Amino acid sequence: MEGNGHAKDKNLLRIGSRDSELAMKQTYMVRDALQKANPHLKFDIVSMKTKGDKILNMALSKIGSKSLFTKELEVALEEGVVDIVVHSLKDLPTILPEGMVIGAVSEREDPRDAVIMHPKYAECTLASLPKGSVIGTSSLRRSAQLKRRYPNLRFESVRGNLNTRLRKLDSADDYAALILAAAGVVRMGWKDRISQYLGDDLCMYAVGQGALAVECREGDSDTLDLLAHIADPNTTIAAVAERGFMRTLEGGCSAPVAVHTKVTEDSVSLKGGVWSLDGSEELLDTMSTSSQNPDASPESTQPPEKVAKTSINFCGIVILSEHKDFMTQAHQLGVSLAQRLLDKGADRILKAAKAQNVINVPPVTSSTSAISLEEKEAEAVNGS
Ligand code: DPM
């Protein structure tokens, strides 16, 4: 590939990104943080569409590929066309392609889900919406939890990037509200559209939600050194615990799995949940650890996956060796919590959800208009 053939300018970092407005905003945030830590660096941003951006007439959970929003970017990384790729952490599978790692997880934005109401319901909450109101979300995690809490609401799939979704909400009467990650809404500058933040009693969030992950080649130690400067320790701890939980459950986009995590200086508390698709079944548990906790000492935990010269790796996330003990505990916490849920029957619930998900095709509205709008938006972003 072209990127490999040329002598690389040591001060130039090429960043791969999806081309949606949110993805580009997230990429600028990471670029700015890297620039601040390394004033001599120059940046090139290479934007592209992924399969998940192109297939808009299918519910997310149906397309069935784990690397839906990441594959094309990872190919560019592998071929040396780019040096790093910026992702939403929650879109990255817990098993990364061979040779790829997460070199940094940056500080987490509010991880909660939020309700964006149709303007005519601006004063409502989910609890006060009229019976039968349609809520737009393609997330099985959101619909399962909210069906359980609000049996009188209906849930329908809505796809497309955030701009498209908001326009679909405002310009028609198809949806009474959307459920979106607060992080994305805030980054888009639409915080004032949030009517309600969902606490863990109503809707727990996705593994990694609200955090950005920077992926790079495993052997690229120069880039790993740069990325170490923008990693946020508390977010990394939460990410390691949550991904350990997810990996052990083998969850993903195709089954309802969610978490709620609290991290302090020396402790992690992880609440995890698994739901049937209709929300009728719910398994919840919470576990905590702290660095004083003898039960979670390194001897009793699983070893990290890979031991390189100076860094180790948990579910794809590269950790500085000085943080190893706390990270090992956090990872083990996620694994243990998942095992507790598996002991209570999580496996059966998740298998049933995955099987059912293949059979039922939820309705998707106005997919053709979504495609043309998406194309226009992509052009507008690229052109600016
Ligand atoms: C994943 C899911 C969704 C995205 C599934 C889930 C939501 C799909 C939908 C894995 N990725 O959350 O249960 O609502 O139809 C995505 C968003 C962000 C990252 C948008 C969102 C932005 C915030 C962040 C799509 N990926 O969830 O509202 O940084 O977490």
Side-chain angles (χ1 to χ4, degrees), residues 88 90-91 138-139 141-142 165 180-181 187 209-210 253:
S88 286
K90 84 163 169 172
D91 294 331
S138 315
S139 159
R141 174 184 60 80
R142 292 172 179 147
R165 290 184 191 204
L180 296 171
R187 290 183 192 127
Q209 184 158 303
C253 261

Side-chain angles (χ1 to χ4, degrees), residues 18 22 26 60 69 88-91 113 137-142 158-159 162 165 179-181 183-184 187 206 208-212 253:
R18 290 171 56 202
L22 177 62
Q26 295 183 161
L60 208 56
F69 290 107
S88 286
L89 178 62
K90 84 163 169 172
D91 294 331
D113 283 333
T137 176
S138 315
S139 159
L140 302 176
R141 174 184 60 80
R142 292 172 179 147
V158 55
R159 289 285 325 278
L162 291 190
R165 290 184 191 204
I179 314 293
L180 296 171
R187 290 183 192 127
Q209 184 158 303
L212 302 182
C253 261

Side-chain angles (χ1 to χ4, degrees), residues 62-133:
K62 301 279 159 190
I63 312 176
S65 157
K66 272 190 188 155
S67 48
L68 201 56
F69 290 107
T70 55
K71 182 77 200 290
E72 288 80 354
L73 291 158
E74 280 162 340
V75 169
L77 194 54
E78 191 172 2
E79 291 176 341
V81 175
V82 297
D83 303 305
I84 63 171
V85 175
V86 179
H87 305 277
S88 286
L89 178 62
K90 84 163 169 172
D91 294 331
L92 277 185
T94 55
I95 300 179
L96 298 179
E98 188 66 35
M100 303 294 150
V101 290
I102 297 169
V105 175
S106 66
E107 190 181 356
R108 192 175 218 173
E109 174 61 74
D110 190 332
R112 288 174 298 174
D113 283 333
V115 184
I116 315 296
M117 289 287 175
H118 188 283
K120 72 178 175 192
Y121 295 125
E123 307 306 318
C124 286
T125 63
L126 289 180
S128 65
L129 277 174
K131 207 175 161 182
S133 291

Side-chain angles (χ1 to χ4, degrees), residues 8 10 12-14 34 38 41 77 82-85 103-104 214-230:
K8 188 180 176 286
K10 247 185 97 72
L12 178 70
L13 197 75
R14 293 157 307 170
L34 282 167
N38 309 275
L41 273 189
L77 194 54
V82 297
D83 303 305
I84 63 171
V85 175
V214 188
E215 198 178 12
C216 70
R217 291 180 293 274
E218 188 177 21
D220 186 354
S221 51
D222 290 346
T223 300
L224 281 167
D225 285 347
L226 291 176
L227 295 180
H229 290 106
I230 64 163

Side-chain angles (χ1 to χ4, degrees), residues 250-264:
E250 292 174 15
C253 261
S254 57
V257 171
V259 293
H260 179 79
T261 313
K262 285 183 219 144
V263 179
T264 68

